[in-house]
Amino acid sequence: MTSLATFPERHQRVMTDTSDPIHRACDFYTPDGERDLVALNRRLHSPEVWSPWPDFLIAFASNGCGDYFAYDTRQSPASVIYVDPDGTPEEQLADPDTLRYDSFDEWYESQMERYTCSRCGARDVRFVASQDRLWLLRVCSSCGFEERTDAIEL
């Protein structure tokens, strides 16, 4: 596996700062935490999974459903690719419609978009049900702004 020292600087900072909001936005793996980056990649690259990952893919985050965001280290700087659990990594690498990001920074900003207040830009929002229980509301802890996000399907 790639050395942690070769991860982008921002990624290294986020791994050591558990208060960074990315840890709420997704399952973000670290080398010494509950979500073990090294153990995850050992498993994904081993024959114990139905389609072992190629060595050049390094998983670092998940949405928690068996899917992963991974660095494609065949280029420098490494890009980020979304690896869906419904296909092999090779199939997704070959698919031009697979979700990709040019950099960790681009991936990070896309993940944080949902957690950013549209009024003040703070990344300290929480989600609550509306009083009528029909909508999910994004509530900013900094400025108090509330806005609808998604309908709640019952």
Side-chain angles (χ1 to χ4, degrees), residues 57-87:
L57 288 181
I58 308 298
F60 66 87
S62 173
N63 286 328
C65 300
D67 59 343
Y68 296 98
F69 292 98
Y71 286 110
D72 180 348
T73 62
R74 293 177 294 177
Q75 60 188 12
S76 182
S79 60
V80 175
I81 184 170
Y82 174 75
V83 181
D84 189 298
D86 296 331

Side-chain angles (χ1 to χ4, degrees), residues 101-151:
Y101 302 91
D102 290 334
S103 67
F104 178 81
D105 287 339
E106 183 182 350
W107 171 82
Y108 182 95
E109 293 304 323
S110 76
Q111 298 302 300
M112 293 311 305
E113 185 176 332
R114 180 176 169 92
Y115 295 87
T116 304
C117 177
S118 62
R119 177 176 286 164
C120 74
R123 290 188 167 161
D124 190 17
V125 299
R126 58 187 168 79
F127 296 90
V128 297
S130 61
Q131 285 187 333
D132 60 9
R133 302 267 187 231
L134 297 176
W135 296 96
L136 185 62
L137 302 174
R138 179 174 33 216
V139 181
C140 179
S141 300
S142 295
C143 71
F145 182 61
E146 292 184 9
E147 62 187 321
R148 281 190 208 174
T149 59
D150 300 315

Side-chain angles (χ1 to χ4, degrees), residues 4-132:
L4 298 178
T6 61
F7 284 178
E9 182 181 331
R10 186 175 194 183
H11 188 149
Q12 292 178 49
R13 278 196 320 269
V14 169
M15 281 194 293
T16 59
D17 181 5
T18 57
S19 68
D20 190 289
I22 196 70
H23 294 276
R24 288 190 328 250
C26 67
D27 293 343
F28 193 80
Y29 289 81
T30 61
D32 56 0
E34 174 184 325
R35 295 184 182 102
D36 187 329
L37 178 74
V38 175
L40 169 68
N41 280 283
R42 279 191 187 126
R43 187 177 62 75
L44 292 173
H45 292 91
S46 77
E48 70 185 61
V49 295
W50 74 277
S51 180
W53 283 30
D55 289 340
F56 58 82
L57 288 181
I58 308 298
F60 66 87
S62 173
N63 286 328
C65 300
D67 59 343
Y68 296 98
F69 292 98
Y71 286 110
D72 180 348
T73 62
R74 293 177 294 177
Q75 60 188 12
S76 182
S79 60
V80 175
I81 184 170
Y82 174 75
V83 181
D84 189 298
D86 296 331
T88 68
E90 289 81 2
E91 290 169 337
Q92 291 169 55
L93 287 162
D95 183 350
D97 294 329
T98 296
L99 184 58
R100 290 173 164 74
Y101 302 91
D102 290 334
S103 67
F104 178 81
D105 287 339
E106 183 182 350
W107 171 82
Y108 182 95
E109 293 304 323
S110 76
Q111 298 302 300
M112 293 311 305
E113 185 176 332
R114 180 176 169 92
Y115 295 87
T116 304
C117 177
S118 62
R119 177 176 286 164
C120 74
R123 290 188 167 161
D124 190 17
V125 299
R126 58 187 168 79
F127 296 90
V128 297
S130 61
Q131 285 187 333
D132 60 9

